[in-house]
Amino acid sequence: MGLQAALCPLFPPQCLLCETQVTTEFGLCGACWRDTPFIAGLVCDLCGAPLPGEDPGHPVRCDDCLSSARPWDHGRAALLYRDNGRKLALALKHGDRLDLARPLAGWILRAARPILLPGTLVVPVPLHWTRLLTRRYNQSALLSAELARQAGLDHCPDALVRGRNTRSQEGRSREGRFENMTGAILPHPRRGRLLKGRPALILDDVMTSGATLAAATEACQAAGATSVSVAVLARVAKDT
């Protein structure tokens, strides 16, 4: 009998959100599962937002991605950023729920598998060092490390760096978000070389306008990545 099996009677697994007893580790109870907006079915090939209709057999794009140029090649999201999707993202980012990284990364991987290429290097959206000091961890790096482990891919947590401490994106217009991020993310002077000649997958917790992911994509391209895809835990999107 393994240690985990031996401990189960003493410490039964609990729901990730409400602590109700569940049957498996890192799971959700029935009520929380129903209130968690997983993205399934037809999705935008560039941001992962859900779309109405049946799969036409070729990549499709949402209105946002048709009207805004995306520098990356493909994108996926595990959840919508509402209800329990928002609760989980904020719990990982601000609530010190580091235990969430493993199951949440698994959900992202499930969504991102169709866009993963052999030899992909997984990299997180970086935090500026001053923000990292106050927050103590980069939630995107926790997710990217765990996704890479589960997928059997290489991971480099510092392939990209924040060249300057950007101000919060909250409350900014779409144009303001992109302006705020212009030139803010760069390849690491040494570790960025690992991106050259291989595909990259950029991981972040939440996508809103796509400004941060665009800046990270341009940094990967500047470092010589052959293709760049993005994956996020949650996507801010219109209801379908």
Side-chain angles (χ1 to χ4, degrees):
M1 180 183 293
L3 179 60
Q4 183 174 339
L7 291 175
C8 265
L10 299 175
F11 305 100
Q14 296 178 321
C15 173
L16 293 173
L17 280 165
C18 73
E19 299 185 354
T20 297
Q21 186 172 332
V22 293
T23 57
T24 59
E25 291 284 348
F26 308 112
L28 296 169
C29 69
C32 288
W33 182 273
R34 287 190 295 273
D35 289 337
T36 302
F38 290 96
I39 295 175
L42 182 64
V43 300
C44 173
D45 188 54
L46 284 178
C47 73
L51 296 173
E54 299 295 324
D55 187 348
H58 58 80
V60 292
R61 300 182 179 184
C62 67
D63 290 343
D64 283 349
C65 291
L66 285 171
S67 60
S68 298
R70 306 294 193 190
W72 59 83
D73 298 290
H74 306 282
R76 293 293 187 273
L79 306 169
L80 289 173
Y81 188 67
R82 59 172 171 78
D83 304 326
N84 284 344
R86 184 174 185 275
K87 289 180 183 178
L88 287 163
L90 292 178
L92 176 63
K93 186 172 184 176
H94 297 300
D96 289 337
R97 288 289 308 276
L98 307 190
D99 60 297
L100 291 174
R102 177 176 169 182
L104 300 187
W107 298 348
I108 301 171
L109 176 59
R110 182 175 61 186
R113 278 199 186 278
I115 63 173
L116 293 180
L117 297 174
T120 291
L121 180 66
V122 183
V123 300
V125 167
L127 285 178
H128 191 265
W129 67 269
T130 56
R131 189 167 298 180
L132 188 58
L133 281 178
T134 57
R135 192 177 292 173
R136 294 176 290 110
Y137 61 89
N138 178 358
Q139 73 280 356
S140 298
L142 294 177
L143 291 171
S144 63
E146 186 59 36
L147 182 143
R149 185 190 69 80
Q150 294 183 29
L153 297 171
D154 292 337
H155 177 245
C156 185
D158 56 354
L160 304 177
V161 295
R162 291 256 183 174
R164 56 184 173 82
N165 190 8
T166 52
R167 293 167 293 173
S168 172
Q169 296 280 67
E170 187 129 8
R172 294 178 182 274
S173 66
R174 183 183 186 88
E175 294 74 17
R177 286 171 177 263
F178 277 86
E179 183 179 351
N180 189 41
M181 290 304 303
T182 300
I185 298 178
L186 305 167
H188 187 281
R190 295 185 303 279
R191 304 282 285 170
R193 297 171 188 169
L194 295 175
L195 288 159
K196 187 174 183 180
R198 64 191 306 182
L201 178 71
I202 301 171
L203 211 73
D204 204 2
D205 56 342
V206 178
M207 176 183 174
T208 304
S209 66
T212 301
L213 290 167
T217 297
E218 289 164 0
C220 287
Q221 292 167 340
T226 56
S227 67
V228 181
S229 294
V230 302
V232 297
L233 171 64
R235 170 74 165 105
V236 176
K238 302 173 185 176
D239 291 333
T240 57

